[in-house]
């Protein structure tokens, strides 16, 4: 049965009005993504629709039929035009043609209109599927090359090597300074039913998107689990770019479904390797010493950073607190006592103990560990030993997790 519009076969009706339909579609797409070949593409689409209507219903549109449309979509991908704009243009274009048909049909064409609607939707589905495939093939090809080049820049900066060649390949302009970040993702996980890879990619995409939105572009990142290393370019010597980057980090801390501890160091290009190591240590210390989620610079953790430098003193302090492995109640009491400014009554209230029990535990700890936390002269040693213990425990847990993976 031939599909008809106002008594004329639908294919013939559309073909006879090709010029008017092209103009109608172009008017609808006014303000769309600029494309010098848009009129030609619209005409090609209308011609392809006509041929589709002339073919049997069970004959699908093939990639050979739509070869020029696929090529056009690939070109739009190469120009960096968003795929959503491409899909919008196809939908708007077909809507414009469909409205022209509705202006002409009469009540006697109702049955034919239903069949024409089904053919139109089937054609649009087939064409957009092919067009999307062409777009994504080209986007993937470009993305792979760009990703490799961007990673080359990232790797060169972190290794202290010359990044100029990779930067030219990636189309990146190197900045004078970078905000060098280490992100450590910790804490309770929401959406535990989601597959781990889905969760990882969702967080990675969020990190990249939010930080890119709060920078001048060119953010370089290697996002793993549970850590990420990020280089944010800071062009010029103004503080505006750094302020925007910090705003992005605050935004990121708010939207991710886990706690985020960020170690941050400002560095010129030549100092990025040492800055990355420092940022990683800052984030690690913030996590190990139970700091709240947030952004930390070296100035925020000066004492903890200095106290946890490796060496014989680090190991000796660990040995001092080794008896706490067998007496977790002593450690709990010591931490509460120091947290409450060495007030035995507040400590007792928190732990639901009698103050004399607090005194007893601290005395036992002093005898086993060799320092008395109730002596003002020895409290700095207690703080230091606990900081070292936290750091060692964190590193031990990280090694265990890596082994289990």
């Amino acid at each position: 049965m031939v599909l008809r519009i106002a008594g004329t076969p639908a294919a013939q009706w559309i073909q006879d009005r090709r010029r008017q339909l092209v103009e109608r579609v172009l008017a609808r797409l006014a303000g769309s993504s600029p494309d010098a070949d848009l009129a030609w593409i619209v005409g090609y689409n209308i011609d392809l629709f006509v041929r589709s209507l002339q073919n049997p219903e069970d004959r699908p549109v093939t990639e050979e039929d739509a070869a020029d449309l696929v090529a056009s979509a690939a070109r739009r991908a190469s120009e960096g035009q968003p795929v959503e704009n491409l899909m919008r243009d196809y939908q708007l274009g077909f809507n414009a043609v469909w409205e022209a048909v509705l202006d002409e049909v009469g009540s006697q064409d109702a049955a034919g209109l239903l069949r024409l609607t089904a053919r139109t939707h089937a054609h649009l589905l087939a064409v957009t599927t092919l067009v999307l495939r062409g777009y994504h093939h080209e986007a993937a090809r470009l993305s792979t090359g760009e990703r490799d080049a961007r990673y080359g820049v990232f790797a060169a900066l972190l290794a202290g090597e010359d990044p100029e060649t990779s930067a030219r390949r990636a189309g990146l302009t190197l900045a004078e300074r970078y905000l060098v970040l280490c992100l450590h993702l910790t804490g309770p996980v929401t959406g535990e039913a989601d597959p781990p890879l889905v969760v990882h990619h969702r967080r990675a995409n969020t990190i990249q998107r939010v930080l890119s939105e709060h920078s001048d572009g060119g953010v370089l990142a290697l996002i793993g689990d549970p850590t990420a290393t990020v280089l944010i370019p800071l062009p010029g010597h103004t503080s505006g770019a750094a302020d925007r980057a910090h705003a992005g980090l605050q935004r990121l801390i708010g939207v991710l479904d886990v706690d985020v501890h960020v170690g941050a160091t400002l560095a010129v290009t030549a100092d990025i390797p040492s800055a990355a190591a420092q940022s990683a240590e800052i984030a690690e210390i913030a996590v190990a010493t139970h700091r709240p989620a947030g952004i930390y610079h070296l100035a925020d953790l000066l004492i903890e950073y200095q106290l946890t430098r490796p060496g014989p003193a680090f190991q000796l302090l660990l040995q001092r607190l080794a008896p706490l492995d067998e007496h977790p109640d002593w450690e709990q009491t010591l931490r509460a006592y120091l947290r409450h400014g060495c007030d035995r009554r507040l400590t007792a209230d928190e732990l639901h103990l009698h103050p004399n029990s607090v005194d007893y535990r601290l005395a036992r700890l002093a005898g086993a560990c060799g320092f008395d936390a109730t002596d003002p002269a020895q409290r700095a040693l207690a703080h230091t030993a606990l900081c070292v213990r936290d750091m060692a425990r964190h590193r031990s847990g990280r090694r265990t997790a890596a082994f289990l993976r």
Side-chain angles (χ1 to χ4, degrees), residues 369-391:
C369 298
F371 63 85
D372 183 2
T374 65
D375 179 359
Q378 298 184 55
R379 286 171 189 165
L381 177 60
H383 280 288
T384 303
L386 284 175
C387 184
V388 166
R389 182 174 173 84
D390 286 337
M391 198 67 183

Side-chain angles (χ1 to χ4, degrees), residues 331-371:
E331 179 174 0
Q332 180 188 38
T333 303
L334 176 61
R335 289 184 184 276
Y337 182 72
L338 295 175
R339 186 166 56 250
H340 286 297
C342 303
D343 188 314
R344 57 195 287 272
R345 294 192 178 278
L346 291 178
T347 303
D349 289 343
E350 178 185 328
L351 301 179
H352 307 292
L353 297 172
H354 190 280
N356 289 344
S357 297
V358 172
D359 294 338
Y360 174 77
R361 289 184 180 181
L362 292 175
R364 293 288 306 277
L365 185 151
C369 298
F371 63 85

Side-chain angles (χ1 to χ4, degrees), residues 103-122:
D103 290 343
E104 295 289 334
V105 297
S107 58
Q108 70 278 10
D109 296 316
L113 183 61
L114 290 176
R115 291 184 59 218
L116 182 57
T117 300
R119 291 289 295 273
T120 303
H121 281 293

